[in-house]
Every structure is written in structure tokens, then in C-alpha cells.
Amino acid sequence: MKNNKKLQEYRQSYRADFIGRHYNGWLHLAFTVSASLAVIAYSLLQLKEPTWYQWLTVPLAFVYTNLMEYWGHRGPMHNRRKWLGGVYQRHTLRHHRFFRHDVMAYGDSRDFHAVLFPPVLVVFFLLLTVVPSALLVYWLLGANVAWLYAATVFGYFLNYELLHFGYHMDKDSWVGRLPGMATLRRLHTRHHDPRLMQCYNFNITYPIGDWLFGTLYRTDRNTESVRAC
Ligand SMILES: [Zn+2]
Ligand SMILES: [Zn+2]
């Protein structure tokens, strides 16, 4: 209970210090969804009669992005790095203090600020990671593969944002009751346990990286005992 009070106090100070008076959570969510859909649609419209094997870009880019999600989260999001200190601060020092395994749901729409990537980071992500890697893919494998790659990465990003948003909604809401949501939410809830966050469940979406690298944490059915790391 005492801990809960501390978390609520942190939430109050986060709201006062970081959320501007004119911030609108629904607009933030609308930006994330519409900007991602615009990039996906634009990329798909550039395709010129892709062959069947060029479509294999989609599953390959999906797995690649899953591993980027894994290493990005396990690396700079949970370890302070010289050039990416802001990422660590935003994730470990703020997101993980705002949401704990026993208090996973946000309060109202202004709290979306603590869940979604800020728009400036979405643009940063597009310009500094997706564009250069898509150019490399274009140079190596041609335009169709590059556009399919860009569409898949942004589709994955949108999926990431919406799933993560869903985990931090009330678990009894209609989103929380969608098929598969309870299982994925449980994995992320485990990750929000301060005793586990540095070691387990770094995939926010599908636990492919966690499964490959042995960091998947599942609760035993009948016990709440925690394997601290
Ligand atoms: Zn989270
Ligand atoms: Zn984390």
C-alpha cells in the first residue's frame, strides 16, 4: 500500500512536470496511427508488380524488426548509453515508474503521454533508422523489396504501439478481452515487475527474441513466486 502511494505520487509529479497543458492523448494516438498508416499506404502504392519471392520480404522484415525491438529494449532502453541517454530516461526511469506490474492501467487519456512514443521520436525513428536501412535494401535488392521492407517495419511499429497501449488499458476493457491479449499482456506485466525488468520479457509484441535468447519469463500456473535476476 505504501508502495502504491509512492507510485501515485510519481504519477502526479510526472503529470505536472512532463505533460503540457495543451497535450491531448487522443490526438497523440491519432497521430501515431495516421502517420504509420500513411507511410504503409505510400510504400505499398510504390510497388510495381512484385514477384512472389519479393513478398518474402514481409516475414523476413517482421522477424528482423522483432529482434530490433528486443535488442533496442534490452539495450539502450534499459541501460544508459552515451548517445541514447534520453531513451533510457524515458523508458526505465519514467515509463517503468509510472506503470508497475500491480498498477498497469493508465488513469485518463492524458496518461497516454507515458505510453506512446512522442511524435518527435516517431519522426526520428523514420529518418534515422528506417530511411537509411530502406536505402541499403534498395541498393542491394531493388525498389520493390525496399518498399515492402518500409511498409512492414511501419506496420510492425503500429502493431507495437497499439499492443503496448492495450497492455496499459484496463484489463477488463474490450481491448483487454481481445483474443491473445491476456497472454501478451501477462508477459509485459511480468516485465514491469522491478525485480524482473532488467532480465526478462524484452519483446513488447511477440516473444520471438525472448524465446531465442532465453529471456522469456512465464509464471508457473499455481505460484506467484518470482525468479529474481
Ligand atoms: Zn509498458
Ligand atoms: Zn522495459
Side-chain angles (χ1 to χ4, degrees), residues 95 164 168 188 192:
H95 180 70
H164 189 220
H168 291 294
H188 191 59
H192 269 274

Side-chain angles (χ1 to χ4, degrees), residues 69-70 73-74 78 91 96 167 183-193 196-207 209-211 214-219 227:
E69 167 194 298
Y70 178 85
H73 189 187
R74 188 174 176 176
H78 275 284
H91 185 74
H96 273 277
Y167 304 154
T183 308
L184 293 176
R185 186 180 199 280
R186 215 174 296 128
L187 292 176
H188 191 59
T189 301
R190 283 282 147 219
H191 175 72
H192 269 274
D193 186 329
L196 305 176
M197 71 173 184
Q198 291 296 111
C199 305
Y200 298 109
N201 295 358
F202 294 107
N203 279 120
I204 310 280
T205 56
Y206 315 101
D210 281 305
W211 177 73
T215 51
L216 184 61
Y217 188 100
R218 280 181 288 209
T219 329
R227 275 182 285 142

Side-chain angles (χ1 to χ4, degrees), residues 6-190:
K6 234 172 112 185
L7 183 134
Q8 293 304 341
E9 278 170 7
Y10 177 73
R11 285 188 170 195
Q12 290 309 332
S13 71
Y14 181 100
R15 288 168 184 141
D17 295 345
F18 302 121
I19 308 180
R21 212 151 39 97
H22 301 295
Y23 175 78
N24 182 313
W26 292 111
L27 266 182
H28 190 174
L29 182 63
F31 168 82
T32 302
V33 173
S34 52
S36 304
L37 288 177
V39 175
I40 297 164
Y42 182 81
S43 303
L44 292 178
L45 285 171
Q46 307 312 309
L47 293 176
K48 293 199 176 74
E49 296 172 17
T51 59
W52 69 266
Y53 56 83
Q54 287 175 332
W55 281 102
L56 292 176
T57 307
V58 175
L60 292 173
F62 175 89
V63 173
Y64 165 78
T65 313
N66 185 278
L67 298 181
M68 289 299 107
E69 167 194 298
Y70 178 85
W71 285 113
H73 189 187
R74 188 174 176 176
M77 286 167 92
H78 275 284
N79 297 279
R80 203 188 289 274
R81 298 272 155 81
K82 203 174 174 193
W83 302 107
L84 293 163
V87 174
Y88 171 80
Q89 192 176 49
R90 212 193 123 71
H91 185 74
T92 302
L93 302 184
R94 296 182 191 160
H95 180 70
H96 273 277
R97 283 179 77 193
F98 201 99
F99 298 103
R100 211 178 47 208
H101 59 297
D102 49 350
V103 195
M104 282 291 278
Y106 57 72
D108 63 24
S109 63
R110 287 175 61 74
D111 288 351
F112 296 0
H113 190 278
V115 183
L116 300 167
F117 272 86
V120 66
L121 266 188
V122 178
V123 176
F124 172 88
F125 172 68
L126 174 68
L127 294 181
L128 279 134
T129 67
V130 183
V131 169
S133 55
L135 282 173
L136 181 68
V137 173
Y138 169 72
W139 183 64
L140 291 171
L141 299 161
N144 275 345
V145 175
W147 288 117
L148 282 169
Y149 166 80
T152 308
V153 170
F154 258 82
Y156 192 100
F157 170 74
L158 180 59
N159 183 235
Y160 168 106
E161 284 285 70
L162 293 180
L163 278 176
H164 189 220
F165 185 77
Y167 304 154
H168 291 294
M169 284 177 85
D170 187 340
K171 71 175 188 315
D172 297 321
S173 64
W174 69 269
V175 173
R177 286 185 276 115
L178 288 174
M181 200 61 181
T183 308
L184 293 176
R185 186 180 199 280
R186 215 174 296 128
L187 292 176
H188 191 59
T189 301
R190 283 282 147 219

